[in-house]
Amino acid sequence: MSTYRVAQVTAPDGGFELVEREVPRPGPGQVRIAVEACGICHSDALFVSGGLPGVSFPEVPGHEIAGRLEELGEGVEDRGWRAGDRVAVGWFGGSCGHCRPCREGDFVVCPNLTVPGWAYDGGFAEKVIVPADALARVPDALAPSDAGPMACAGVTTYNGLRRSSARPGDLVAVLGLGGLGHLGVQYAAAMGFETVGIARGAEKADFAKRLGAHHYVDSTSGTPVDEALRSLGGARVVLATAGNSAAITATVDGLAPRGELVVIGADTAPLGISPAQLLMTGRVVRGHPSGTSQDVEDTMAFSALHGLRPMTETVPLDDVDEAYRKMLSGGARFRMVLTPG
């Protein structure tokens, strides 16, 4: 009997344990991936804690997967995939194809969206079964440890910017310089935006500049963030990557007329925004989901073209518990990535 290892938790917020399972065969429209890398995303905590409806235990998280196709289910070769192909799978782990958003081509907001680690076992494992429509092709220039995080953190920031109202030359601010924000600044600069990094502490200014930011705003300097943005002419877009509603709220009055606040950092606290802050200036506030498998592919292609990479720390699957706790504590700089070896 052929087996593989998964890292699972058996109860909400429990510790990870490595167990062996029999290698499954992919069904029609599915593939089996030999996992080469899987990023640890802060959203994985929602699954490990059982904080989302439908999460069942034992739970195998992981939705920043990169690897090679190992076995194809019936009908998958007809879609152009072959065993050995390099692929990535992110938050978008497949859609139903028949709901209204899917029929309109807006697959990522499918109400029946399947997310690895939620709808089925995720990538904290040596192998994983996924629907073929979740696959994104990985360019040769990207290592697996780069491609995995780009399937969630990368596509969320890249797609959030390219689908915003900003155009080259516009002032674009990225709130937060962590796991999402350090990618957001790189993408914003590469897209031709006049880029502002916003974070806590004067010591992060040099880091923001190394990422490509033209300006840095220290949110602890005593000058309000919105005032600092207005002094630069007002932001066409603020990409809010920090999961802090108070910090997000503090940027709103720094938007230019018809400026756009794009929220991708998750917080359960409400935003403190009044209608008066939006009405006279025509400002827009919207949330942004990650992106489809095609969006992931676009993100990786753009990253390869411009030489952009996530900052990662690779850890063997055996040390998954330690790596997960480091991410949860905020100690990761900036994406923890599991590898099977």
Side-chain angles (χ1 to χ4, degrees):
M1 180 181 70
S2 179
T3 63
Y4 72 111
R5 297 187 306 159
V6 304
Q8 65 179 28
V9 291
T10 57
D13 288 322
F16 283 91
E17 61 180 19
L18 290 171
V19 299
E20 290 198 359
R21 297 182 180 178
E22 185 175 355
V23 175
R25 300 290 303 275
Q30 296 180 329
V31 300
R32 187 175 70 240
I33 298 172
V35 178
E36 296 177 322
C38 185
I40 302 177
C41 180
H42 202 278
S43 300
D44 288 318
L46 298 172
F47 310 135
V48 173
S49 67
L52 290 174
V55 173
S56 60
F57 293 87
E59 158 68 21
V60 181
H63 58 270
E64 292 187 344
I65 304 164
R68 291 184 183 272
L69 294 185
E70 192 172 69
E71 185 176 355
L72 311 182
E74 181 184 346
V76 175
E77 279 198 0
D78 297 340
R79 307 184 194 184
W81 296 105
R82 299 291 182 269
D85 286 349
R86 302 182 69 220
V87 295
V89 180
W91 180 268
F92 179 85
S95 56
C96 72
H98 58 75
C99 68
R100 180 163 188 153
C102 283
R103 292 172 67 193
E104 292 176 342
D106 200 0
F107 303 105
V108 76
V109 292
C110 169
N112 305 303
L113 183 72
T114 56
V115 178
W118 188 0
Y120 51 83
D121 286 345
F124 288 18
E126 293 173 335
K127 303 180 190 295
V128 65
I129 299 276
V130 306
D133 66 330
L135 299 175
R137 199 173 296 276
V138 176
D140 292 339
L142 293 186
S145 58
D146 295 326
M150 285 183 180
C152 180
V155 71
T156 301
T157 51
Y158 171 78
N159 218 27
L161 288 167
R162 75 164 174 170
R163 298 191 184 282
S164 75
S165 59
R167 296 295 177 264
D170 286 345
L171 190 77
V172 170
V174 178
L175 173 65
L177 295 178
L180 293 169
H182 87 285
L183 286 166
V185 170
Q186 292 182 72
Y187 288 134
M191 290 177 181
F193 303 140
E194 185 180 352
T195 304
V196 185
I198 306 171
R200 296 175 57 85
E203 71 279 1
K204 295 179 182 176
D206 287 343
F207 177 57
K209 298 294 178 63
R210 289 200 305 272
L211 292 172
H214 304 94
H215 312 279
Y216 177 70
V217 172
D218 172 12
S219 62
T220 66
S221 69
T223 301
V225 170
D226 57 357
E227 184 178 322
L229 291 176
R230 288 196 303 273
S231 73
L232 295 170
R236 172 61 56 188
V237 168
V238 170
L239 182 72
T241 74
N244 183 308
S245 291
I248 295 171
T249 298
T251 68
V252 173
D253 285 333
L255 290 168
R258 299 203 179 277
E260 184 179 20
L261 172 62
V262 181
V263 180
I264 62 175
D267 190 1
T268 56
L271 295 174
I273 300 172
S274 72
Q277 290 175 280
L278 308 177
L279 290 172
M280 299 302 291
T281 55
R283 294 170 177 146
V284 173
V285 179
R286 68 175 178 88
H288 172 73
S290 60
T292 65
S293 52
Q294 182 61 57
D295 293 324
V296 173
E297 207 162 293
D298 293 347
T299 301
M300 292 189 292
F302 184 89
S303 301
L305 179 66
H306 290 274
L308 308 181
R309 301 292 186 273
M311 297 176 68
T312 62
E313 181 180 343
T314 58
V315 178
L317 186 62
D318 301 75
D319 297 333
V320 58
D321 203 75
E322 179 183 347
Y324 175 77
R325 301 300 166 191
K326 186 171 184 178
M327 177 282 298
L328 208 57
S329 72
R333 293 292 180 269
F334 286 96
R335 308 299 296 186
M336 303 299 296
V337 180
L338 298 173
T339 58

